Amino acid sequence: MSSAIFLPFILSLSLSLSLLNGLDVIQLNTNITAGSNSTWKSPSGDFEFGFYDLRTGLFLVGIWFGKIPDRTLAWYFQSPPVEANSQIQFTSAGNLVVAYPNQTIAQTIYSGGAATSSYMQDDGNFVMKDSNSESVWQSFNSPSNTMLPGQTLQSTKVLYSKERGDSNYSLGKFMLQMQDDGNLVLKAYQWSGPAYWYNSTNTPNVNLEFNATSALMHFVSGSRSIYTLTKSTSTPVEDYYHRATIDENGNFQQYAYPRRNENDTTGWRRVWRAVEDPCRVNLVCGVYGLCTSPDNESVKCECIPGYSPLDHQDVSKGCHPPDTINYCAEKKFKVEVFGDTDFQFDNNFVRVYDVDLEGCKKSLMDDCNVIAATYNTSTRTCA
């Protein structure tokens, strides 16, 4: 009699555990096939994990906003895209891999072998857990170019920009790093030059937290907020989707998108950006490239006169002189001035102090080892 009384309770408890507070459990031996439109959705459908169609015949493993028409990516696995009929496989061994159509492994997302279940959460985090319900891997801890509310960029962690182009998700030129000295920096990571933007806390080992309640970004030490990076966002917070992204031009920006968008055609609206002038991003137009931004939003790149693009399809990759030039031979050059332009030079280069523009020109012409210089009118410095 007692077993008959308690059996419904046992069944109900088992069912509630399998649903895990409304999350759809992804079991072992579950696959997604590229080109099939199958995905692993969060309970609300706000986010989907699967193959993102690049419209080139190739597919990228990613997480995107499921209810936004352009399906904006919130995370992607930083590896080459794959062809149709490839698969994302949550294997019987508890690994998460990408397999080619012939079933050979193309990419390994998680290989710890301890996962027994996984979940696409409503905050945009894809989580894999072991038999003790402990997290063994999550997308929030392996960021690509975007942060979401509830996500933390831990000390020494990095966001990398993508390359230019709607379908090009290869590694770009720029990174956002939370350094262990407490500096949040933007820099062209392939170059040894200084950061072109930074925000210092003077506190070591802090994290950057995108607060889920306020949708503001904070520097936190332990559980204590020590500085608020962003001051305002679209409200009520719950009526919007939010993201912060380092874009292909090297700027870190925060955006909001109305959840109910029937009468709103504006799409993502920027609420904050780190760099106000896009041309202040180091190497945004590459070596020997000149940047202009007439609208203070877009970036237009061109080569300095006499130089040619390294890639005529993408001038932002930089420029080169047409021939090897012997600057110490007979001089047949003239000095041309470009206003509102900043070339980033090494601090160890020669500087001439307390000169006017004409004096800077003369110093440039008198040194056959120099091809360019900057002149700072406020400090009367030629470097």
Side-chain angles (χ1 to χ4, degrees):
M1 178 68 68
S2 61
S3 61
I5 293 174
F6 286 102
L7 182 58
F9 171 76
I10 294 171
L11 288 173
S12 175
L13 178 62
S14 174
L15 180 60
S16 65
L17 287 174
S18 68
L19 291 175
L20 196 66
N21 297 323
L23 290 176
D24 295 325
V25 180
I26 302 163
Q27 306 289 353
L28 297 173
N29 281 325
T30 305
N31 304 324
I32 293 176
T33 301
S36 68
N37 293 322
S38 61
T39 61
W40 293 330
K41 293 181 173 64
S42 69
S44 67
D46 284 344
F47 292 94
E48 298 183 33
F49 181 102
F51 282 110
Y52 187 80
D53 190 349
L54 296 177
R55 311 298 181 187
T56 62
L58 297 175
F59 297 82
L60 185 72
V61 176
I63 296 169
W64 57 88
F65 290 84
K67 295 181 179 179
I68 291 178
D70 67 357
R71 303 191 312 157
T72 304
L73 276 168
W75 175 88
Y76 55 91
F77 189 55
Q78 293 174 324
S79 62
V82 294
E83 62 189 299
N85 295 317
S86 299
Q87 289 187 330
I88 300 171
Q89 300 177 348
F90 184 27
T91 70
S92 58
N95 298 322
L96 190 65
V97 301
V98 182
Y100 291 121
N102 64 6
Q103 296 302 298
T104 59
I105 302 300
Q107 303 152 10
T108 300
I109 301 173
Y110 168 75
S111 61
T116 58
S117 58
S118 55
Y119 316 86
M120 183 66 254
Q121 298 182 166
D122 271 334
D123 58 2
N125 191 14
F126 185 80
V127 180
M128 303 179 70
K129 295 187 177 183
D130 62 17
S131 57
N132 296 317
S133 294
E134 296 292 331
S135 173
V136 295
W137 185 89
Q138 53 183 303
S139 58
F140 271 14
N141 287 345
S142 301
S144 50
N145 68 344
T146 295
M147 290 182 65
L148 298 174
Q151 188 170 0
T152 297
L153 186 66
Q154 298 173 343
S155 179
T156 74
K157 286 286 188 177
V158 177
L159 299 184
Y160 288 103
S161 67
K162 63 181 282 297
E163 270 291 6
R164 282 187 173 88
D166 293 339
S167 60
N168 189 349
Y169 285 85
S170 57
L171 198 62
K173 294 189 293 189
F174 308 103
M175 74 176 189
L176 175 82
Q177 183 177 30
M178 189 69 251
Q179 296 181 162
D180 56 11
D181 62 1
N183 284 327
L184 180 69
V185 301
L186 282 168
K187 62 191 302 184
Y189 75 94
Q190 294 171 317
W191 302 83
S192 59
Y196 52 84
W197 176 89
Y198 73 95
N199 203 298
S200 178
T201 64
N202 296 316
T203 304
N205 300 314
V206 301
N207 300 325
L208 178 65
E209 177 191 87
F210 199 163
N211 187 274
T213 302
S214 66
L216 301 177
M217 288 184 284
H218 304 262
F219 292 111
V220 296
S221 178
S223 59
R224 181 174 62 95
S225 174
I226 59 176
Y227 180 76
T228 302
L229 182 64
T230 51
K231 308 302 182 184
S232 64
T233 189
S234 298
T235 55
V237 169
E238 62 273 13
D239 287 352
Y240 292 82
Y241 296 109
H242 305 268
R243 66 180 173 93
T245 301
I246 177 172
D247 63 31
E248 56 195 39
N249 290 324
N251 207 349
F252 184 50
Q253 308 186 77
Q254 183 177 332
Y255 300 90
Y257 190 108
R259 287 178 179 266
R260 295 176 178 83
N261 200 37
E262 294 88 351
N263 300 315
D264 192 323
T265 59
T266 58
W268 288 103
R269 183 177 70 87
R270 186 181 65 235
V271 297
W272 175 86
R273 63 178 172 177
V275 182
E276 289 298 326
D277 181 352
C279 288
R280 289 294 177 184
V281 174
N282 283 4
L283 295 164
V284 68
C285 288
V287 178
Y288 300 127
L290 288 176
C291 172
T292 56
S293 181
D295 57 0
N296 214 29
E297 297 287 345
S298 59
V299 167
K300 179 183 178 182
C301 296
E302 58 184 339
C303 294
I304 62 176
Y307 285 61
S308 300
L310 294 169
D311 182 347
H312 286 273
Q313 302 301 315
D314 186 0
V315 182
S316 71
K317 291 182 179 179
C319 308
H320 66 90
D323 298 297
T324 301
I325 301 174
N326 182 359
Y327 291 98
C328 290
E330 181 182 354
K331 293 188 176 181
K332 295 181 180 178
F333 309 107
K334 66 177 181 179
V335 176
E336 191 167 349
V337 177
F338 298 93
D340 193 26
T341 301
D342 185 19
F343 281 95
Q344 298 296 324
F345 291 127
D346 190 287
N347 290 331
N348 294 322
F349 280 17
V350 173
R351 294 176 182 267
V352 181
Y353 298 96
D354 196 24
V355 293
D356 58 14
L357 179 59
E358 292 304 316
C360 186
K361 289 182 182 181
K362 184 177 185 305
S363 296
L364 177 61
M365 292 297 291
D366 287 345
D367 191 338
C368 64
N369 293 309
V370 177
I371 61 172
T374 59
Y375 180 70
N376 189 319
T377 56
S378 61
T379 62
R380 291 173 54 85
T381 302
C382 183

